[in-house]
Amino acid sequence: MNKFVPVVAVDGPSGVGKGTLCQALANHFKWHLLDSGAIYRVLALSALKQGIALDDESQLAQLALNLPLTFDTYGCDVKVLLDNVDVTNEIRTEQTGGAASKVAAINSVRTALLQRQRDFRKAPGLIADGRDMGSVVFSDAPVKIFLDASAHSRAERRMKQLQDRKNHVKFAEILQEITARDERDRNRVVAPLKPAVDALIIDTTSLSIQDVFNQSITYINKKIAL
């Protein structure tokens, strides 16, 4: 791992705006982008497709070590490929998200994927989006940001996203899934979801993405001489 390459680690639960912020930061600085959540989602999707139980530690760890995952960054949007098949939309379903949260709680799976995530650290810099980027994967990152928001507001945002994609959803079900995922992520034994001790915490409940972006840019410029 190249410790001389700067990393901005952005963590937080689902629906706080991490993905949008990280994409904007990567575009602003012209840095590489790591969507660690996509890696766990692809692993979960692959397990579901192969009929591997989501609590089968041995098979899941083996799958993680040999996951045929690639990111196609050609063009404006990042495409996620599993075995050279575009699964970008497929991994964004609630089912895959819930499954990803379950496999992410397994220690051997996280260990198998740790180096894969660290390999994204390349010059000129990296924006890392996840749940344990600042606390575990890039614990030496010079900039750590933790986004949070109320479960209700996150469920509203998620519902709008799904409706925009023409998906029929019920608010109560989305809120229940987000609450359950928070419970799993925050209370897992390995790398639980929590702010790094030196992270800037931003509550995005009542902030626009521009507000969050502006706060983040100000903080990053203060922490790193760019």
Side-chain angles (χ1 to χ4, degrees):
M1 182 167 64
N2 188 350
K3 293 181 179 294
F4 296 105
V5 174
V7 175
V8 173
V10 181
D11 293 309
S14 67
V16 287
K18 297 192 306 292
T20 306
L21 173 63
C22 287
Q23 187 74 60
L25 291 175
N27 290 340
H28 177 81
F29 291 114
K30 302 293 188 289
W31 285 6
H32 299 286
L33 173 66
L34 165 61
D35 179 354
S36 66
I39 297 177
Y40 285 100
R41 283 172 177 263
V42 170
L43 175 64
L45 179 64
S46 184
L48 292 171
K49 285 180 179 292
Q50 295 183 43
I52 297 174
L54 298 179
D55 58 357
D56 188 331
E57 293 191 26
S58 176
Q59 283 206 64
L60 287 169
Q62 195 60 37
L63 186 61
L65 283 171
N66 302 291
L67 192 64
L69 162 71
T70 51
F71 290 100
D72 179 3
T73 55
Y74 183 76
C76 298
D77 299 319
V78 177
K79 289 183 180 178
V80 184
L81 308 178
L82 172 61
D83 254 339
N84 294 318
V85 176
D86 187 350
V87 293
T88 310
N89 293 328
E90 210 172 344
I91 64 169
R92 297 302 173 192
T93 66
E94 291 300 290
Q95 180 195 20
T96 307
S101 177
K102 291 173 183 174
V103 301
I106 299 172
N107 188 18
S108 55
V109 168
R110 301 196 76 86
T111 300
L113 293 176
L114 186 60
Q115 190 56 48
R116 188 162 201 159
Q117 295 173 82
R118 286 178 172 165
D119 287 342
F120 278 82
R121 190 174 195 170
K122 297 174 183 175
L126 175 68
I127 307 295
D129 167 354
R131 283 168 169 72
D132 64 342
M133 296 295 100
S135 57
V136 176
V137 182
F138 302 106
S139 56
D140 65 330
V143 181
K144 299 171 186 176
I145 298 171
F146 190 92
L147 303 186
D148 210 347
S150 70
H152 194 277
S153 70
R154 289 187 283 131
E156 286 180 336
R157 292 173 191 171
R158 182 62 180 152
M159 185 167 180
K160 185 177 185 309
Q161 280 181 341
L162 292 170
Q163 286 176 334
D164 287 345
R165 296 176 194 161
K166 310 301 181 188
N167 291 325
H168 178 68
V169 288
K170 292 182 179 177
F171 179 79
E173 291 176 359
I174 294 174
L175 180 59
Q176 183 179 22
E177 173 57 35
I178 281 178
T179 304
R181 198 180 304 176
D182 284 352
E183 184 75 15
R184 282 195 299 270
D185 292 346
R186 292 182 194 276
N187 296 306
R188 65 188 177 217
V189 176
V190 184
L193 170 66
K194 63 178 181 180
V197 291
D198 50 347
L200 168 70
I201 300 174
I202 302 176
D203 187 325
T204 70
T205 301
S206 57
L207 297 178
S208 69
I209 186 58
Q210 190 63 50
D211 292 333
V212 178
F213 177 78
N214 291 343
Q215 280 192 40
S216 299
I217 289 291
T218 300
Y219 184 67
I220 293 166
N221 288 336
K222 205 182 295 181
K223 299 288 285 187
I224 308 176
L226 296 172

